[in-house]
Structure formats: structure tokens, C-alpha cells
Amino acid sequence: MCGITGWISYEHDLTTMRETLTAMTETVACRGPDAGGVWLDTHAALGHRRLAVIDIEGGRQPMSVERDGRTLLVTTYSGEVYNYRELREELESLGHSFRTSSDTEVVLHAYLRWGEGFTRRLNGMYAFALWDPREERLLLVRDRLGIKPLYYYPTPDGVIFGSEPRAVLAHPAVRPAVDAEGLAELITFTKTPGHAVYKGMREVLPGTTVRVDRRGLTARTYWALEAREHTDDLDTTVARIRELLEDIVARQLIADVPLCVLLSGGLDSSAITALAARALSTAGSGPVRSFAVDFTEYTENFQADDLRGTPDGPYARALAAHVRSDHNDIVLDTAELMDPDHRAAIRRARDLPNTFGDGDTSLYLLFKGIREHSTVALSGEAADEIFGGYRWFHLPEAVHADTFPWIAAHVTATFSGGNGGHETTLLDAGLLSTLDLPGYEHQRYREALAEVPRLDGDRGLERRMREVGYLHLTRFMQVLLDRKDRASMAVGLEVRVPFCDHRLVEYVFNVPWAMKTFDGREKSLLRAATRDILPDIIADRVKSPYPSTQDPRYAEALRTELARLAADRDAPVRPLLDTEMLKQATAAGGREDLRPSTELVLGLDGWLRRYGITLEL
């Protein structure tokens, strides 16, 4: 998968800046534990850390193309292009020759052949930089759905960029500052496209190329969701979805390293696991290896709540038995979840406070356990956003609210402790007034609505559900993709997301809502497209989100840690907190409804300490 970074400066000689570039590159070493390299030219400095997945020996980077002793193009590349074999064959027929078997070299030659329009030919997840020394021009390219991250910081004479904010922040010209808008973005559950939280820093938009030359920076969108008339009937639609899924999964099983699937026992991950098992069996290379997360005594002591009606364990094991996978449970206990080193590790991985609390830590530990056996994992992420799986897709009060549906459904208070209301947050009332979180959310909601592509005939519920789908694909899904990328790459695990193939997303986005819910349930089309390869217990299971520990010792450990913070008058987060609410949260017995805010506050404090953040509020 890899980590990338670099620096373009048209007013300095960067061949003398190896030490700075090396420092930037080392910040993303976790993303590429197998190798590293730098490339320096007068006005361009590119760094790379490699996670070797395809062409182990030949795919080293930064990679260049030379002709007659002259460098034509150089790249630092992260990701996978799943159709690279077809592209390579086409390029070879056009006279291009290759010295490696990597998809990275195919990307280089694709640009040389087709110019900036080459991005439309790529199928995959990627974030990369291309430096053309002939034109002294840099291209920063991000995949269509924003699966892989890419950040940049414009400077007076160029740009600084990296896979993660920490790579950019490692440059001496960049100051780690966060203003009121950045803090609001961090606390709310909006994920504004392009927003990077840090002042002056930006994120390359999904489906976008940022060009950097002596005239400055310009962005060009090469892909976006479009509204199109859906003319297929139900049977044809279901068949087309199955056809796409089979092709997507088969493509994403290509790797020169051990590969596995993430299996929760829900419809999404089970469908991917079953399709992978069939594809591997057909190729004579099974069985598929599967992994699931569990907590000590979680199934035995499980208590249903508004979000989770059933524990994952029994369902994951049922699917594993059905497809005869080589299944493994990664079982975590409270001590592991509260271990300061583990909590600090996921905070470093995200470059932000871990607002999902134990969900962040457990995901990191799951990936850490998987990495001992596999280098690549396929995930069921994004099916809910594409097929309408979340319960608030089906709640009229959430669907028709004048805000993001997940906010109307009060889901965000579970994950972000700042916007659940004054009575459930530890943040100071004056700070909340300054940030105006409801106003910030409303502004971002209006901006998102203005982007939605529509058909002239869209009316009533169909029109609104197109909006709801778009909001989830461009905002909600981005939060989860970023979280999964950071947690996995922190341990050098590449996670692939088959449901994010742009062909599937384009197709399903334009299927009418009435057809998406033809059986009166969530994810009707996905269930219909995969029911024949799933046991009924899985196909009929109601959506259950990623699990969270219910061990009361975890909540008590949080209170203990918060009490230590409250006793530290020099804690950087103290000026942001409500003293009276802090007392209630640390009192014996505490308040369970303050747990999300406690997680946020502890995360904020660790983040402020580690990065030396200047808050400009």
C-alpha cells in the first residue's frame, strides 16, 4: 500500500534538503515497513515508504522512466490499480516496454501515453504524485471514492504533501495550528471534503487531480457521481450487481503476499467472504482465510441496545463454517483496550483524537493481530452507504430532517462527544458557543445538498433518497474509510474495499429507492444478489454496527484516567472543559452517558500534547 510524501519548491534547490525529506518520509514508515527511498531534483523532492504487495523485488520507489539518459517522469505511489494487467497489455501493444511487473510502472506509462486524462482509465484505490521534470509540473492524484488519503499544504513557491498530516507537519515550514473551524470539523460528524482540520492544510478531493506548476495550484475533477436514468428491471439489476461483485472481488484477490478477508458475520462482509471463497476455489487456491474481532466473554454477556441487536461472533463462525474458511477470532480484553500504548498508537495513526473510543483501539488491535498472518485484507466497508443499510435510511424523521440523517438519528453523539448536547458533553459552554457546532453542521449540510446531482423527474421520496445516498457516499463514508485506512496502515496492513469500486457505486447510486427496498428491508439488492451463496441466518440478519465492549471495567478505567487528567492543572485540554461536568464524570459511579465525551477529552489531551497544537480560537 505504501506511504508517500514530497516537497515542490520553485525558488530553492531541493537537492540540499535530503535531511528534511528523509524526516518527512520516516513519519509514514508504518505505512511501508518493507523499504524506503527518496528522489531529489532541483525543484522536486519525493519520498516513499513501501509495503510490498505486487512485484516484491521490482516495485521499489520512487520509480522513474528514463529515455536516452533523461528522466521523463518519476512517481511516489500508494495504492493498487486493479486493472493494471489490462492496461499493461494495451500499452505494450502501443510500443511501451516494461522492466518490472508492478502496477506502479503501468501508471507511469499510462501518463506518458494518455496525459492527464489517464486517470479515467484507472480502476483501484490510490493516492500518488507524478513529477514531470520536462514541464517542471507535479500532479497529485486521488482515487474516485477517496479510499486512500492525500494531504497537501500550499506554500508561496510550491507545495508540501503526504499520505498523512504528520508527513506535512514534519516540514519545518508547517506549524501545527488548529482554528475554530478546524476544531468544529474535528468534533462534528461531517467530514467536509477537502478539509484537513489543520490550518493551511488541505486534502486532495476524491476523484481529483491537483496540478502544481510555477503558476500555482489548480484542481481538476476527473470523476464525480452523476444522476442517470435507471432503465434495468429488478431481475436485471440484481444480476448486474452480482456480475459486478464477482468481477470486483476476483480482481482484488490479486497479490503476491498472504491475503485474507475481514468477517463480522453481517451481510456485507459475509458476501465478500463467500465470493472470495468461490473465486479462490475456482482458481484452485483456497481456502480463504478469515478474521473476526471479539471481546472476552462478549457473546455470553451481550446486551442488545439501540444500535446492536446481536453479537457478531456466532454469525461470523456460521459463515466461516458455511464457506469452509480458515477462520480466526482476534479476542481482546479490557486491559488491551485501555493500554496507554495502544490508545496512543491509534491516536498517532489518525493524527487526530480517537473519537470512536474503544472502537478505534479495537480496530487497531484487530489489524495488528491480522498482520501477523496476512499483508492484505478485503473488507465489507461501504455497503451500507451504497445499498442503504443504516437504520436511519428507513426512519422518516431522520430522512426528512433538515440536517445530515445520521445527526438527526442521534448516532453521532455515540462517536463524537462534543455534539451530543450540553448535558452530555464535558466541553466548556463558552467554547461550544464559539464553535457553534449546530451552525457549522447546518452550513456543511447546505453545501453538501447543493452538490447533489439530480434528474428532472426526481420527486418526493425518490428525490430525497438520492440526496440521502449522496450525503452518505461523500460525507459519512469518508469518516469510516479514513478510520479504516489509518488503523490498518499503522501496522502495515493493506485493506481493500470491494464495494467502493466506482462501477458498482455509479450503478447502484442511480437505482430507484423503491427498487433498493423492494422486499421492505435494508440492502434488498445486495441480499438478493448474494442470497444463493449465504446461509439464511446471515442473509436475514439485521444490520449490527462494528462492536463496542460492554465490559463495565472499561467505563471505570475511563473514569480513572479522566480523574488523573482532572488532577493535572497543566493538562493542555483543561481550558476547554466544563469544571462542573468534569466533577460529575469522575464521581463514583459516574455517568454512562458521558462516556463518548470522556473518550473525546482524553483523545484531545493526548493529541494536544503529542503534536504541540496551537489552538487559534
Side-chain angles (χ1 to χ4, degrees):
M1 182 51 61
C2 309
I4 69 172
T5 190
W7 177 16
I8 303 300
S9 173
Y10 294 106
E11 296 180 2
H12 297 85
D13 180 0
L14 298 188
T15 60
T16 65
M17 298 296 178
R18 179 178 292 272
E19 185 176 347
T20 296
L21 180 62
T22 298
M24 294 167 61
T25 304
E26 287 307 301
T27 65
V28 291
C30 62
R31 300 183 75 92
D34 297 328
V38 299
W39 185 91
L40 297 166
D41 200 1
T42 305
H43 299 303
L46 307 180
H48 188 267
R49 290 292 314 192
R50 187 181 185 215
L51 177 65
V53 172
I54 294 175
D55 191 1
I56 307 301
E57 295 301 321
R60 298 182 182 276
Q61 296 187 51
M63 184 180 290
S64 59
V65 176
E66 290 87 19
R67 185 178 300 155
D68 300 326
R70 181 187 179 195
T71 300
L72 301 182
L73 192 64
V74 61
T75 189
T76 179
Y77 169 91
S78 168
E80 305 291 347
V81 170
Y82 301 123
N83 63 334
Y84 78 99
R85 290 177 173 174
E86 297 98 308
L87 290 174
R88 178 182 175 126
E89 289 181 4
E90 183 176 0
L91 288 164
E92 286 178 330
S93 72
L94 295 170
H96 290 254
S97 59
F98 294 83
R99 55 186 173 82
T100 77
S101 300
S102 71
D103 57 330
T104 305
E105 191 178 11
V106 171
V107 168
L108 285 165
H109 283 270
Y111 172 79
L112 290 173
R113 167 57 58 176
W114 296 302
E116 290 188 34
F118 81 111
T119 51
R120 291 190 293 270
R121 293 174 171 264
L122 306 181
N123 177 303
M125 58 176 190
Y126 45 80
F128 57 86
L130 286 172
W131 172 250
D132 186 336
R134 302 165 299 175
E135 303 290 338
E136 291 191 331
R137 180 174 63 223
L138 179 80
L139 294 183
L140 297 175
V141 182
R142 193 173 181 207
D143 65 67
R144 293 170 177 81
L145 274 298
I147 304 167
K148 304 314 296 178
L150 183 54
Y151 295 85
Y152 67 101
Y153 186 93
T155 63
D157 72 324
V159 71
I160 301 162
F161 66 89
S163 292
E164 299 179 358
R166 78 181 81 171
V168 177
L169 294 171
H171 192 285
V174 183
R175 188 169 57 93
V178 176
D179 59 17
E181 182 179 288
L183 192 57
E185 176 73 17
L186 188 158
I187 294 172
T188 57
F189 209 98
T190 55
K191 191 63 178 80
T192 306
H195 206 301
V197 174
Y198 296 94
K199 189 175 180 180
M201 194 182 300
R202 299 288 294 166
E203 189 178 33
V204 177
L205 291 168
T208 297
T209 297
V210 174
R211 177 197 285 193
V212 184
D213 56 28
R214 289 184 177 274
R215 294 170 293 183
L217 280 68
T218 55
R220 180 183 63 85
T221 300
Y222 68 87
W223 182 88
L225 284 168
E226 297 178 357
R228 300 170 184 165
E229 197 73 41
H230 185 79
T231 57
D232 292 342
D233 62 18
L234 177 59
D235 289 343
T236 304
T237 298
V238 170
R240 177 57 178 158
I241 290 170
R242 175 60 172 267
E243 178 186 17
L244 282 168
L245 285 173
E246 288 180 343
D247 178 70
I248 292 164
V249 171
R251 288 178 183 275
Q252 297 195 21
L253 289 172
I254 296 173
D256 295 332
V257 292
L259 179 146
C260 68
V261 293
L262 306 178
L263 176 61
S264 70
L267 175 62
D268 315 337
S269 65
S270 296
I272 296 300
T273 303
L275 288 166
R278 285 166 65 95
L280 290 173
S281 177
T282 300
S285 54
V288 66
R289 172 172 278 181
S290 59
F291 288 89
V293 67
D294 203 353
F295 303 104
T296 304
E297 299 180 355
Y298 183 75
T299 299
E300 296 83 350
N301 300 315
F302 179 81
Q303 294 182 359
D305 57 28
D306 290 342
L307 282 179
R308 303 171 183 88
T310 52
D312 285 345
Y315 294 89
R317 288 186 282 275
L319 192 282
H322 182 74
V323 302
R324 299 181 181 178
S325 71
D326 177 3
H327 185 68
N328 302 267
D329 288 322
I330 305 294
V331 182
L332 309 176
D333 60 30
T334 296
E336 289 178 291
L337 295 175
M338 281 304 301
D339 186 311
D341 291 340
H342 294 157
R343 291 169 64 84
I346 187 60
R347 192 163 53 243
R348 286 195 303 272
R350 298 196 70 181
D351 286 324
L352 296 171
N354 47 327
T355 52
F356 280 78
D358 71 282
D360 277 347
T361 311
S362 65
L363 191 65
Y364 165 78
L365 292 172
L366 168 65
F367 290 153
K368 185 178 181 182
I370 292 174
R371 187 62 176 88
E372 296 177 4
H373 309 276
S374 295
T375 307
V376 174
L378 271 63
S379 166
E381 199 78 77
D384 288 302
E385 290 83 357
I386 295 166
F387 290 98
Y390 296 117
R391 63 181 177 85
W392 51 88
F393 271 89
H394 310 273
L395 296 175
E397 61 271 27
V399 167
H400 297 292
D402 191 26
T403 187
F404 295 105
W406 52 92
I407 291 177
H410 308 293
V411 172
T412 54
T414 304
F415 303 113
S416 180
N419 60 344
H422 288 282
E423 69 280 359
T424 58
T425 180
L426 299 176
L427 298 181
D428 178 71
L431 172 65
L432 293 175
S433 178
T434 298
L435 298 180
D436 184 19
L437 300 181
Y440 184 80
E441 290 172 343
H442 185 72
Q443 174 191 350
R444 295 312 191 193
Y445 173 67
R446 287 295 164 195
E447 293 170 354
L449 271 189
E451 299 172 5
V452 180
R454 298 178 177 89
L455 293 175
D456 291 339
D458 283 346
R459 296 288 186 274
L461 183 62
E462 285 295 341
R463 176 184 174 90
R464 179 54 180 168
M465 294 315 295
R466 183 184 292 278
E467 293 174 347
V468 169
Y470 184 88
L471 296 174
H472 279 81
L473 289 169
T474 61
R475 268 67 176 177
F476 193 88
M477 189 173 76
Q478 298 304 313
V479 176
L480 302 182
L481 288 176
D482 184 71
R483 169 178 176 255
K484 182 153 287 184
D485 172 83
R486 301 303 187 82
S488 60
M489 294 310 297
V491 297
L493 177 71
E494 175 180 303
V495 174
R496 299 175 177 177
V497 279
F499 286 115
C500 282
D501 186 292
H502 70 277
R503 298 169 298 162
L504 180 68
V505 174
E506 289 173 345
Y507 186 77
V508 179
F509 175 68
N510 284 294
V511 175
W513 181 247
M515 191 178 289
K516 288 179 182 176
T517 55
F518 74 88
D519 64 359
R521 291 197 56 190
E522 79 285 354
K523 289 184 287 195
S524 306
L525 292 174
L526 178 59
R527 184 177 297 102
T530 57
R531 180 178 279 280
D532 66 303
I533 55 173
L534 300 174
D536 289 343
I537 190 177
I538 300 295
D540 294 327
R541 187 186 180 197
V542 176
K543 166 71 181 177
S544 184
Y546 183 83
S548 176
T549 180
Q550 295 182 341
D551 189 341
R553 293 174 296 177
Y554 181 80
E556 186 57 40
L558 281 180
R559 282 192 289 272
T560 300
E561 189 174 343
L562 185 65
R564 282 198 293 268
L565 184 151
D568 182 1
R569 296 291 177 182
D570 296 323
V573 78
R574 281 297 299 272
L576 307 181
L577 304 184
D578 183 306
T579 303
E580 180 55 37
M581 293 298 290
L582 193 60
K583 289 179 181 178
Q584 293 184 33
T586 55
R591 283 175 49 184
E592 180 62 26
D593 61 345
L594 291 175
R595 173 171 162 176
S597 192
T598 298
E599 295 273 24
L600 173 64
V601 166
L602 294 174
L604 278 170
D605 190 69
W607 174 63
L608 292 169
R609 289 177 190 269
R610 175 173 176 79
Y611 286 88
I613 304 292
T614 299
L615 292 177
E616 300 180 357
L617 307 178

